[in-house]
Amino acid sequence: QVQLVESGGGLVQAGDSLRLSCAASGRTFSSDAMGWFRQAPGKEREFVATIAWSGTTYYTDSVKGRFTISRDNAKNTVYLQMNSLKPEDTAVYYCAADPSLWVVRNSQAARSWGQGTQVTVSS
């Protein structure tokens, strides 16, 4: 099991940027696929982005060109750089980890989850 702790959320205005961090501990981090998900009020949790151990990345269409996922295996940390934020990006953002990239990209069944960090974008 990998323990995950997110940070970096906050209240920003539309057009601003934020960088979320997810610090991992426990089982080997570098071989896991890491992902970011979000859940807006009244909506189901949805996939945002994922990065494989190799560095391959995938994004949901609504954030392509605005969000960038990256990882620093030496620091056991994954990041989500969010630029040009929109009010519709408002959500609790969760970090997830799983040995399978397919699981992270295509399901809500990742083995490890963080507690979430709130991102609020005002118009």
Side-chain angles (χ1 to χ4, degrees), residues 18-118:
L18 274 177
R19 188 176 79 157
L20 305 183
S21 299
C22 173
S25 62
R27 191 173 55 79
T28 301
F29 164 84
S30 60
S31 61
D32 274 10
M34 304 295 298
W36 287 97
F37 292 73
R38 65 187 181 186
Q39 187 169 21
K43 296 186 177 181
E44 294 186 350
R45 187 168 59 190
E46 64 173 355
F47 167 79
V48 176
T50 186
I51 184 167
W53 64 269
S54 61
T56 301
T57 59
Y58 298 94
Y59 298 90
T60 193
D61 286 347
S62 62
V63 307
K64 285 180 181 177
R66 299 189 299 122
F67 291 11
T68 302
I69 188 171
S70 62
R71 65 192 297 163
D72 185 336
N73 290 336
K75 296 183 178 180
N76 286 351
T77 302
V78 63
Y79 304 98
L80 186 68
Q81 177 67 43
M82 306 185 294
N83 298 329
S84 302
L85 282 162
K86 304 175 181 180
E88 50 264 43
D89 295 318
T90 295
V92 177
Y93 283 71
Y94 297 91
C95 177
D98 196 275
S100 168
L101 177 64
W102 189 95
V103 167
V104 177
R105 186 182 179 194
N106 297 288
S107 78
Q108 299 283 329
R111 290 186 185 181
S112 303
W113 293 85
Q115 83 289 348
T117 185
Q118 177 71 47

